[in-house]
Amino acid sequence: MIQQTKVWFITGASKGFGLSLVKQLLSKGQKVAATSRNIEELKNAVNLVTDNFLPLKVDLADEASVADAILKTNCTFGQIDVVINNAGYGIGGSIEELTDREVRNCFDINVFGTLNVIRNVMPYLRKQRSGHIINISSIAGITGGIGWALYTATKFAVVGLSEVLAEDVKSLDIKVTVVAPGAFRTSFLTEDSLVLAKHAIDDYQEVRASHARYQKLDGNQAGDPEKAAAAMIKIAFDETPPVHLLLGEDAYDRAMQKLEKLDKTFRFNEELSKSMAYHG
């Protein structure tokens, strides 16, 4: 049973993990500010009118929009305790198949949107000398799959910035966790959340096959998003939350395989790696 009431700021809250988080938190009496590009869609999805719920229309790629939303949250609830950067979408295709605009749009939300939130919420958290930032990446941010190079790049960026942010803010008593989920039964593989290269190149047959395999998973993913949301809520109440959190058996297995592969690769080249110093 959760006793302490916290103020939560959650992006991408009209569907998927974000919506599950909002509903679970409100049911527990928590105070929640939630963002979406479409505020009516968000309100309809949550379907609850309460003083504990602040729906916000936000363009995460627009820093002024993000700053205004965070200011409204602080003015409404008096503080911000937990920030969950959940908003994001998938992009599939080989690097040469995707346009510069498609790639930049994805980075704007998956990476720069996250940075906009962190940059603008940090002054409040520093003043409080408390807070917890939870960035939702993906198992693709630890080990990518064929045909998802640019999506993987955005999620690797989220993992990397989270790891260093955790060190940067540790002395301020602010905590950071990066979450790497595997396949969960959300809308991630639908047209609303996934962009595929419009101009496919015939030579990339393995890329097409990879996309087809993933799309067949839609609606049949093993992961339960309600359990994922509950896990994220749990760690936000832990005194010493992890910097990394894998969610899903598939995510755990893939991460362990990557660790083993890196260990073998690094050790195999140990002599060469260490032979770079000047001698004289």
Side-chain angles (χ1 to χ4, degrees), residues 191-202:
E191 289 184 3
D192 288 343
S193 301
L194 180 63
V195 171
L196 294 178
K198 295 180 177 64
H199 304 292
I201 297 172
D202 289 342

Side-chain angles (χ1 to χ4, degrees), residues 127-251:
K127 185 177 180 181
Q128 295 169 183
R129 284 300 194 269
S130 67
H132 190 174
I133 297 171
I134 299 175
N135 297 324
I136 301 183
S137 177
S138 164
I139 187 56
I142 295 172
T143 175
I146 188 169
W148 306 96
L150 276 308
Y151 176 68
T152 294
T154 67
K155 293 305 183 178
F156 260 77
V158 172
V159 171
L161 70 89
S162 299
E163 290 175 348
V164 179
L165 178 66
E167 295 298 317
D168 289 348
V169 302
K170 185 185 296 184
S171 64
L172 303 173
D173 292 326
I174 298 167
K175 301 174 177 65
V176 178
T177 298
V178 60
V179 180
F184 280 79
R185 206 167 296 180
T186 66
S187 60
F188 179 75
L189 293 176
T190 66
E191 289 184 3
D192 288 343
S193 301
L194 180 63
V195 171
L196 294 178
K198 295 180 177 64
H199 304 292
I201 297 172
D202 289 342
D203 284 342
Y204 289 107
Q205 291 304 307
E206 290 183 345
V207 169
R208 302 287 86 72
S210 174
H211 294 170
R213 284 194 300 272
Y214 275 96
Q215 288 179 301
K216 284 180 181 178
L217 285 175
D218 189 24
N220 297 297
Q221 299 96 324
D224 181 346
E226 297 302 322
K227 290 182 178 179
M232 286 184 260
I233 292 169
K234 177 186 179 300
I235 65 162
F237 284 92
D238 288 349
E239 287 189 14
T240 55
V243 174
H244 300 86
L245 178 65
L246 300 168
L247 291 180
E249 186 174 352
D250 58 334

Side-chain angles (χ1 to χ4, degrees), residues 34 40 42 56 106 109 119 122-123 130 138 142 144 160 227 245 256 272 277:
E40 292 306 318
L42 173 60
L56 297 162
C106 192
I109 301 304
R119 186 182 301 112
M122 275 304 304
S130 67
S138 164
I142 295 172
K227 290 182 178 179
L245 178 65
M256 293 303 106
L272 177 62

